[in-house]
Amino acid sequence: MRSTHGVNCTGSCSWKVYVKDGIITWEAQQTDYPSVGPDSPEYEPRGCPRGAAFSWYTYSPTRVRYPYVRGVLLEMYREARARLGDPVAAWADIVTDPERSRRYQRARGKGGLVRASWAEATEMVAAAHVHTIKEHGPDRLAGFSPIPAMSMVSHAAGARFYSLLGGAMLSFYDWYADLPVASPQVFGDQTDVPESGDWWDAGYLIMWGSNIPVTRTPDAHWMAEARYRGQKVVAVSPDYADNVKFADEWLPAQPGTGGALAMAMGHVVLKEFFVDRETEYFSQYVKRYTDLPFLVTPDEAEDDGTGEGSGAAGSVAYVPGKFLTAADLGGRAAQAEHAGFRTVLLDAVTGEPVVPNGTLGDRYGESGAGKWNLDLGDTDPLLSASAPDGSGAEAPVTVLLPRFDAPDGAAGRLRRGVPVRRIAGRLVTTVYDLLLAQYGVARDGLPGRWPASYEAAEEPYTPAWQETITGIDAARAARIAREFAANAEESRGRSMIIMGAGTNHWLHSDTIYRSFLTLTTLTGCQGVNGGGWARTTSARRRSARSPATRRSPPPPTGTGPPG
């Protein structure tokens, strides 16, 4: 019979499972995967030693087959149940007693689990739900369900249960604690990454906190084989892990500091490929596929006059506010359906505000029909509020941006200038201008405190600054960033970062991931075969592609999103 192994693995390797008298006797890899084509390695053999030994888990004497309850809690429940005769009253009797609640809560993590019957365990769980709803309301319920990759039926049953009760259904991102919440934050979808065969198409590959031979054993050969066609492989890992031996370079960043390295790399990319010279492929990509050209309204904020580079106490500064929308423009634009959800950019030719296709206002309602796309038509978005000829620009303003790089974690402020214009009576700047300010990439004529060079260790987010945090040599970090971007420019987006759980088990790990995604987006790699971000512990498995289905990187002036 054919089967696979779905326990905490989404590799979906195909296995032959031999059964005799209802007992699994042997497992072997299937070898009937469709061919990828003559220009690429094949998928098979797919499998790993853990999969080959899976039947051992099935019949292991340590396999949990019955419900277990913390002993101290079970004893209290049985006593209260016998005394009160009602499951809900028994549960309430325990949890409303501070001393008894403390007893079973403090027992967590210390063993003491004892076997219970299915009926008793189910009754306790049901009683806890009923009591919580009665006392606090259904919205105080929160629960997990088995991951869809393990069992769609089980996941659906749990999700329906909590939906009907009115509780909050937690995602298995919360369960795993190693999945990238930055993906839905940035892209609006869950871990939509390429199949492992796409690693083969990358010209420059960074394995960042991802130990591929261990976490994606069946797929590791793609990375190893790609090196034979000239791919450069960089491993970012604090330890000499299994994957490091495959790398051309090893960056042993201190644990939990991947975000600092990525921010410094972004500083280099923005300075050398956007400000010092315009890289046409990158600029056309971010104009069409990102929010960098969109206008933001800075809000006034009082400068407290503290910290380096500060202005006089009480002087006017700004903080980034909301996006400018069609509702702010007045006139006919403000009368459009969902005008408050139609974000605005400036046309580089006319300097006039434009509401492009594909804003949130087009997602719902009849007026958005045929416009839920990224077709810009004749509009050429303006990346910066500044203009080469100075037309339409006002005096730049200082924005206050947060920083959290103090040794004690205390919050600080960066004071950086951004160019502004006045649209419909409002000061506006662009996301691109704010991004340059956040990354500390200086431009002439802007106020604030800026790093003078890559060697300015006191200013975030320079290569020298990251060296004090990660331990990676500043010049080396700058070179890797330069190589990553240069390869993306030459290959039109075939630079890739394979991310793993190693970078996600940290406080605010979503911000670490977003620093990676900014790198792949600035360099026009997202949605390009062989480019963008890939994920190892939750990578999607799709059918093997034939050469006819391979997609080439899009031209910068294409009419649809890449990939």
Side-chain angles (χ1 to χ4, degrees), residues 229-515:
R229 68 193 304 229
Q231 178 188 95
K232 179 167 182 176
V233 177
V234 177
V236 183
S237 172
D239 61 332
Y240 190 81
D242 300 62
N243 66 313
V244 172
K245 66 182 180 183
F246 293 100
D248 299 295
E249 290 203 44
W250 174 30
L251 302 182
Q254 293 296 313
T257 64
L261 175 59
M263 290 298 290
M265 291 174 64
H267 177 95
V268 173
V269 171
L270 285 167
K271 176 172 171 48
E272 298 186 11
F273 294 85
F274 283 85
V275 174
D276 290 351
R277 70 174 178 91
E278 180 183 355
T279 305
E280 183 182 5
Y281 174 68
F282 294 171
S283 62
Q284 292 299 320
Y285 182 98
V286 298
K287 286 180 181 181
R288 182 173 295 274
Y289 304 122
T290 78
D291 64 355
L292 292 192
F294 284 93
L295 300 176
V296 176
T297 57
D299 295 332
E300 282 193 19
E302 184 175 324
D303 195 335
D304 59 12
T306 61
E308 294 183 352
S310 63
S315 61
V316 175
Y318 293 82
V319 293
K322 297 181 178 180
F323 281 105
L324 187 76
T325 68
D328 301 318
L329 297 179
R332 294 183 59 186
Q335 302 303 315
E337 185 180 27
H338 307 313
F341 295 90
R342 298 182 182 276
T343 47
V344 181
L345 50 75
L346 294 175
D347 184 271
V349 177
T350 66
E352 294 299 315
V354 175
V355 178
N357 287 355
T359 65
L360 189 58
D362 290 328
R363 181 65 178 88
Y364 304 99
E366 296 181 1
S367 64
K371 298 180 180 179
W372 185 238
N373 56 62
L374 300 182
D375 185 2
L376 291 172
D378 296 329
T379 300
D380 179 20
L382 190 67
L383 268 182
S384 175
S386 63
D389 59 359
S391 61
E394 297 204 357
V397 301
T398 298
V399 292
L400 306 177
L401 301 168
R403 62 182 295 180
F404 300 96
D405 57 325
D408 62 354
R413 280 178 164 180
L414 298 171
R415 290 168 174 81
R416 305 268 171 78
V418 294
V420 292
R421 294 192 181 197
R422 194 168 294 275
I423 302 294
R426 299 171 182 263
L427 280 181
V428 296
T429 188
T430 68
V431 176
Y432 173 74
D433 289 320
L434 290 169
L435 191 71
L436 290 178
Q438 182 72 65
Y439 275 81
V441 180
R443 290 175 290 173
D444 292 339
L446 295 180
R449 183 183 175 94
W450 302 87
S453 68
Y454 289 168
E455 288 71 42
E458 71 283 358
E459 289 293 329
Y461 294 92
T462 64
W465 170 86
Q466 71 79 36
E467 181 177 343
T468 65
I469 299 172
T470 69
I472 303 299
D473 177 72
R476 194 178 184 203
R479 176 174 55 79
I480 295 297
R482 193 175 300 118
E483 291 175 355
F484 185 86
N487 177 79
E489 178 186 11
E490 183 177 349
S491 64
R492 301 175 74 79
R494 292 196 302 112
S495 291
M496 179 180 287
I497 299 176
I498 300 180
M499 309 178 197
T503 59
N504 213 36
H505 285 164
W506 306 95
L507 183 64
H508 301 309
S509 62
D510 59 324
T511 59
I512 299 176
Y513 259 86
R514 293 181 74 154
S515 66

Side-chain angles (χ1 to χ4, degrees), residues 95-347:
V95 298
T96 57
D97 186 320
E99 179 55 34
R100 282 190 288 174
S101 293
R102 192 178 301 111
R103 282 178 58 199
Y104 83 80
Q105 290 169 2
R106 287 184 174 179
R108 293 170 180 167
K110 300 178 181 179
L113 292 168
V114 297
R115 179 174 164 180
S117 68
W118 284 104
E120 191 171 33
T122 303
E123 182 183 277
M124 290 180 67
V125 172
H129 279 76
V130 173
H131 170 74
T132 302
I133 293 172
K134 179 181 177 182
E135 294 298 318
H136 308 289
D139 58 342
R140 293 293 295 275
L141 298 176
F144 294 106
S145 189
I147 63 172
M150 178 178 176
S151 169
M152 282 300 295
V153 174
S154 298
H155 174 78
R160 181 170 176 77
F161 174 71
Y162 263 82
S163 296
L164 291 175
L165 286 179
M169 179 65 186
L170 302 177
S171 75
F172 54 93
Y173 275 57
D174 306 287
W175 185 351
Y176 266 117
D178 67 352
L179 294 184
V181 293
S183 178
Q185 285 175 350
V186 175
F187 302 122
D189 54 25
Q190 177 218 303
T191 330
D192 190 10
V193 294
E195 55 185 295
S196 54
D198 210 40
W199 305 350
W200 167 261
D201 292 324
Y204 201 99
L205 185 73
I206 300 180
M207 296 180 288
W208 211 320
S210 178
N211 194 353
I212 289 176
V214 173
T215 62
R216 298 303 291 185
T217 307
D219 303 318
H221 70 92
W222 294 103
M223 175 268 300
E225 291 160 336
R227 299 174 66 221
Y228 288 99
R229 68 193 304 229
Q231 178 188 95
K232 179 167 182 176
V233 177
V234 177
V236 183
S237 172
D239 61 332
Y240 190 81
D242 300 62
N243 66 313
V244 172
K245 66 182 180 183
F246 293 100
D248 299 295
E249 290 203 44
W250 174 30
L251 302 182
Q254 293 296 313
T257 64
L261 175 59
M263 290 298 290
M265 291 174 64
H267 177 95
V268 173
V269 171
L270 285 167
K271 176 172 171 48
E272 298 186 11
F273 294 85
F274 283 85
V275 174
D276 290 351
R277 70 174 178 91
E278 180 183 355
T279 305
E280 183 182 5
Y281 174 68
F282 294 171
S283 62
Q284 292 299 320
Y285 182 98
V286 298
K287 286 180 181 181
R288 182 173 295 274
Y289 304 122
T290 78
D291 64 355
L292 292 192
F294 284 93
L295 300 176
V296 176
T297 57
D299 295 332
E300 282 193 19
E302 184 175 324
D303 195 335
D304 59 12
T306 61
E308 294 183 352
S310 63
S315 61
V316 175
Y318 293 82
V319 293
K322 297 181 178 180
F323 281 105
L324 187 76
T325 68
D328 301 318
L329 297 179
R332 294 183 59 186
Q335 302 303 315
E337 185 180 27
H338 307 313
F341 295 90
R342 298 182 182 276
T343 47
V344 181
L345 50 75
L346 294 175
D347 184 271

